[in-house]
Amino acid sequence: MTPLLVFGVIAGYFVLLLIISHFTSQKADNTTFFTANRRSPWFLVAYGMVGASLSGVTFISVPGEVGNSNWTYLQFVMGNMVGYAVIAFVLIPLFYRLQLVSIYEYLRDRFGEKSYLAGASFFLISQTIGASFRLFLAAVVLQIAFFDAFGIPFYVTVLTTILLIWLYTFRGGIKTIVWTDTLQTTFLLAAVVISIIVIISHMDLNVGDAFSLVSKNKMSTIFDWDWRSNRNFFKTFLAGIFITIAMNGLDQNVMQKNLTCKNKKDAQKNIFWFSIVFFFSTLLFLALGVLLYQYALDQNILLPERTDDLYPTLALNYFGTFAGIVFLIGIVAAAFSSADSALTALTTSFCVDILDISKRKTNQKKTRFLVHIGFSLLMFVVIIIFNSLNDSSVVSAVFKVAGFTYGPLLGLFAFGLLSKRGVKDKWVPLVCVFSPILSFILDQNSESWFYGYKFGFEILLVNAAITCLGLALLYQRKPGFL
């Protein structure tokens, strides 16, 4: 594809986003920005959340990772389904009963002000790093596909992409996101489906042949029963449950969309149908992974060194112009559908949790506007730092560290919901800092300390358990009341 064609495709895509923003942000105020006035149709939220959940990392990594770990990722997704059930039947009723704007307000009512600020702060840190990392990957693709051809430096690429996100989110906020996510989900899934169609067409297969090829391939092996493996079924399944609860149910980015539904029942229907669509979407990505490797073998194409490069390499160089365009839109959609909602969630959490914007008698809209700009600039700085590290393993490690901050959130909410014990609120932030540090040390030394045992996703449970233990040690006679 020529750089001008790439520019035209991306420009056209963002014009669509800006048009949606124009219609969804009319007469918007802070309530619209934070909650969409709680009028979002549940089916729209459910469909749009698929694109946000399948981030740019998933879009690129899952098909390529099939070559390393087969379909064992599906064990994790099976656990996700149980996690979504917990969200629907435990967390959704709680958040709607309390009429929360930020879900971390629960921690203030349950434990106290310090616990509340600790929970919100951990979300802000992890979400800033995570969203910046995902946007960094998208910016790298755009740099290679377009900006390099004109000698435009990377920082301009990053600044442009963040500016575009800011333009279509700064007025309508979460209301705009709910609608733009539907467009982005459509493009993301279309990229996968069209890629599969192109592959089976090039290999002279019909749908039945392709299904048989995928189902009989050794790479389609789902279960791993080796207890030492970080892909062991029980570890991965349990981790899928609790990571979903922590990184979806206790994440303002995700739950803010659920809380835009009209009532509790609509939000529960949204979670149920979203989880179904998400599961089958993941199956499509895994099937695509098998077909990509089979296509490369059939066409005698040399596999790239990094599995993450497999899908982009084939889509942009071997699938033809149309499939390449759809892939490019898909990767942009996947990245931006998570980055735009993250920017909105960060703005919401900071305004509600840190600034307590509802108590300000004047300039509430201006405050929100400035916070939105502030987080846009912060994401820009973080991405530039990622790029300056010039080491993908270091960047991935930073991203992994950010994931450890969800352990304290899971521990705080679990202790709050499963116990009625009060805690010494002023010491809670110390527990929340200590638990991920100890968990990270355990994760780095588990093989030498525990006879070859290697932690996988389940390190989150260890992190949360340490937090719960710390909270239990902070016992205070006055019990919680929620």
Side-chain angles (χ1 to χ4, degrees), residues 156-205:
V156 175
T157 305
V158 176
L159 196 60
T160 301
T161 53
I162 291 178
L163 176 62
L164 289 168
I165 291 176
W166 185 84
L167 283 174
Y168 73 83
T169 60
F170 82 96
R171 288 188 298 173
I174 195 64
K175 182 179 180 181
T176 297
I177 297 302
V178 166
W179 286 89
T180 55
D181 274 358
T182 61
L183 177 72
Q184 294 173 148
T185 297
T186 300
F187 279 122
L188 187 152
L189 295 179
V192 178
V193 171
I194 290 172
S195 295
I196 291 174
I197 292 172
V198 168
I199 291 173
I200 64 177
S201 175
H202 283 192
M203 296 177 65
D204 294 323
L205 303 172

Side-chain angles (χ1 to χ4, degrees), residues 159 162 343 371-383:
L159 196 60
I162 291 178
L343 182 57
V371 171
H372 202 55
I373 291 177
F375 274 107
S376 300
L377 294 175
L378 179 59
M379 286 177 65
F380 170 76
V381 171
V382 174
I383 292 172

Side-chain angles (χ1 to χ4, degrees), residues 122 236 254 327 356 381 413:
F122 270 87
T236 309
V254 178
F327 167 81
D356 199 2
V381 171
F413 276 86

Side-chain angles (χ1 to χ4, degrees), residues 39-97:
R39 295 178 182 173
S40 299
W42 68 265
F43 49 87
L44 198 71
V45 179
Y47 180 68
M49 281 177 58
V50 174
S53 299
L54 296 170
S55 68
V57 178
T58 305
F59 187 79
I60 292 176
S61 296
V62 169
E65 182 60 24
V66 167
N68 291 331
S69 56
N70 303 323
W71 275 29
T72 53
Y73 180 68
L74 198 62
Q75 300 173 127
F76 178 75
V77 178
M78 291 174 183
N80 292 164
M81 305 300 285
V82 179
Y84 288 126
V86 174
I87 292 172
F89 295 108
V90 178
L91 295 179
I92 289 289
L94 172 67
F95 295 154
Y96 266 86
R97 176 167 62 85

Side-chain angles (χ1 to χ4, degrees), residues 330-359:
I331 182 60
V332 172
F336 282 91
S337 63
S338 57
D340 55 16
S341 58
L343 182 57
T344 302
L346 287 167
T347 302
T348 300
S349 179
F350 195 84
C351 287
V352 174
D353 301 324
I354 307 300
L355 300 181
D356 199 2
I357 196 172
S358 63
K359 292 185 178 179

Side-chain angles (χ1 to χ4, degrees), residues 256-300:
Q256 190 169 357
K257 298 172 187 176
N258 289 284
L259 296 177
T260 67
C261 294
K262 297 176 182 178
N263 51 52
K264 179 188 74 174
K265 289 186 178 179
D266 275 5
Q268 290 175 318
K269 285 190 289 186
N270 156 53
I271 289 292
F272 173 76
W273 285 107
F274 153 71
S275 63
I276 297 295
V277 176
F278 175 75
F279 183 84
F280 285 103
S281 298
T282 304
L283 280 177
L284 270 181
F285 275 94
L286 293 170
L288 173 62
V290 174
L291 291 172
L292 286 171
Y293 280 100
Q294 198 63 41
Y295 175 81
L297 179 65
D298 186 71
Q299 302 293 317
N300 294 315

